[in-house]
Amino acid sequence: MSDKKNVEHNHDEHHHHHDHSLLPEEPELRVKAIETLLLNKGIINSDTVNELIDTYEKKIGPRNGAKVVAKAWVDPEYKKRLLENATKAIEELSYTGRQGEHMVVVENTPVVHNVVVCTLCSCYPWPVLGIPPTWYKSDEYRSRTVREPRKVLQEFGLELDFNTQIKVWDSTSEMRYLVLPMRPVGTEHLSENELESLVTRNSMIGTGLPELPK
Amino acid sequence: MINQNNFDFKSFEKPWHGQIFAITVSLSENKVFEWSEFSKALAEQIKMDKTEKQNGSDDYFFSWIKALENLIIKKDIVDQSNLNITKQKWKVAFLTTPHGHPVNIN
């Protein structure tokens, strides 16, 4: 547990008084220093910072992407627009803004499975998927997905038919991808809302498939 | 083996991850730098800090902090000694503020 670092004290420095506040980890102190200096200079504003955190914690996440996918499943015209110009089609649902420019939607078919990675850092389509999960930012995922995608997908529990071609898309700050997964069989009777609830985050990154209807 | 189970529905595993993220977005929106400029700096920092164990959590955001520090130093917004002094002030404040009281500097 990395939280334990919090309670590691340098006892030379504070003479064994244990009633003080918990000393944060080194990176947290560095963030505080950056924040203090920028606030004092008026370059950032604490309300804006807090609002941003709140937005990405509570308001923007993969449910947005799920709405895009479900709409594409039920509306062939929308799907056509989405594949032709994803940024514009996603804008129709008002999911715009930071890291939402230059979107490309890649469609899974019975013979092609798409998976998205950012080998350099963690470029990711925030307006439709929110903040990337931790594993997406790990060195292992970033380096191995290009090298051995089939094996990586197996570790996510995804066993693809050997004949299925896997296409790996490497995101950049100029190009961000969203996978359009295949609509699960046996869902013809479901409404757009019901379909939306089957779409998982991993299915839009390509490391999973949509859930099956219960 | 990629560890997928961790906090899968939390945007930020720790508050400081969210803090540094929001500060950076805010700076780019205030045109202190372009986002592409930051993401290039981040990519370079991650490469420099690269270890096989880099798990995408604390270590990833630690690289993020270093990339941001270097960028704002390069842009003459802060300097290294100011960062160090301010960090030290926070450290002292945490070590001298009684538990349960708000920790402040200045």
Side-chain angles (χ1 to χ4, degrees):
Chain A
M1 295 295 284
S2 56
D3 276 347
K4 280 209 176 116
K5 279 185 209 142
N6 274 343
V7 291
E8 275 173 21
H9 289 11
N10 181 343
H11 279 181
D12 293 337
E13 273 186 39
H14 69 101
H15 313 292
H16 290 271
H17 291 298
H18 281 275
D19 53 351
H20 59 69
S21 308
L22 222 52
L23 182 64
E25 297 169 83
E26 163 77 11
E28 192 177 339
L29 289 170
R30 278 167 78 162
V31 173
K32 285 197 155 301
I34 296 170
E35 187 179 28
T36 304
L37 292 175
L38 296 175
L39 285 173
N40 287 350
K41 284 177 181 267
I43 297 174
I44 57 168
N45 164 302
S46 58
D47 289 342
T48 316
V49 169
N50 291 336
E51 214 180 288
L52 272 163
I53 295 171
D54 191 63
T55 300
Y56 285 96
E57 272 183 340
K58 301 191 188 127
K59 295 175 195 146
I60 298 180
R63 296 276 47 101
N64 293 359
K67 285 202 170 70
V68 173
V69 168
K71 190 172 171 60
W73 282 347
V74 298
D75 181 346
E77 281 303 309
Y78 182 73
K79 179 176 156 184
K80 199 164 162 248
R81 293 199 294 281
L82 186 66
L83 294 174
E84 272 169 14
N85 184 339
T87 311
K88 235 172 123 188
I90 291 168
E91 240 177 61
E92 290 177 33
L93 301 186
S94 316
Y95 304 137
T96 57
R98 307 172 192 106
Q99 312 290 306
E101 314 86 6
H102 320 296
M103 286 290 308
V104 172
V105 168
V106 286
E107 184 187 14
N108 285 351
T109 69
V111 289
V112 175
H113 181 89
N114 297 286
V115 59
V116 181
V117 64
C118 173
T119 54
L120 285 181
C121 47
S122 56
C123 299
Y124 196 69
W126 297 349
V128 280
L129 292 182
I131 300 297
T134 299
W135 54 260
Y136 185 86
K137 298 173 283 197
S138 69
D139 179 64
E140 242 197 302
Y141 182 76
R142 288 186 293 107
S143 57
R144 287 182 48 218
T145 304
V146 175
R147 222 168 51 226
E148 42 181 21
R150 201 168 288 269
K151 207 163 162 225
V152 167
L153 294 184
Q154 276 168 357
E155 288 171 27
F156 278 88
L158 195 55
E159 295 279 352
L160 294 173
D161 188 277
F162 195 73
N163 295 317
T164 302
Q165 186 198 351
I166 301 175
K167 281 193 186 167
V168 180
W169 302 88
D170 193 358
S171 314
T172 64
S173 57
E174 275 90 41
M175 197 70 90
R176 298 179 198 85
Y177 301 93
L178 183 78
V179 174
L180 176 59
M182 280 189 286
R183 180 172 173 166
V185 284
T187 57
E188 296 73 17
H189 60 291
L190 295 186
S191 69
E192 193 173 328
N193 276 344
E194 289 166 323
L195 287 168
E196 189 194 310
S197 68
L198 303 178
V199 183
T200 61
R201 169 164 66 189
N202 286 13
S203 72
M204 294 181 280
I205 302 176
T207 53
L209 297 178
E211 286 172 14
L212 297 173
K214 292 190 181 84
Chain B
M1 198 67 181
I2 294 161
N3 178 7
Q4 312 148 31
N5 64 350
N6 40 17
F7 311 94
D8 224 8
F9 295 99
K10 240 176 150 181
S11 298
F12 305 109
E13 288 179 12
K14 293 192 183 163
W16 65 266
H17 299 177
Q19 288 281 337
I20 195 69
F21 166 85
I23 290 168
T24 312
V25 171
S26 212
L27 287 172
S28 103
E29 279 176 5
N30 292 344
K31 299 285 168 219
V32 173
F33 46 73
E34 289 295 322
W35 190 262
S36 55
E37 209 177 347
F38 173 73
S39 68
K40 193 164 162 258
L42 176 61
E44 278 164 15
Q45 189 66 48
I46 287 174
K47 210 169 153 191
M48 236 184 295
D49 295 340
K50 182 181 159 73
T51 66
E52 278 176 15
K53 278 183 266 166
Q54 193 175 47
N55 67 8
S57 180
D58 278 358
D59 44 27
Y60 170 83
F61 281 106
F62 202 9
S63 297
W64 184 305
I65 291 172
K66 291 189 253 178
L68 182 64
E69 282 175 348
N70 290 337
L71 196 52
I72 54 181
I73 289 170
K74 200 174 105 190
K75 301 264 172 191
D76 272 331
I77 291 164
V78 296
D79 62 49
Q80 188 66 60
S81 71
N82 254 336
L83 282 170
N84 293 344
I85 291 165
T86 314
K87 190 189 83 180
Q88 192 56 30
K89 278 189 191 166
W90 275 110
K91 195 169 174 182
V92 170
F94 274 98
L95 292 174
T96 53
T97 307
H99 190 75
H101 289 68
V103 182
N104 281 310
I105 64 168
N106 296 333

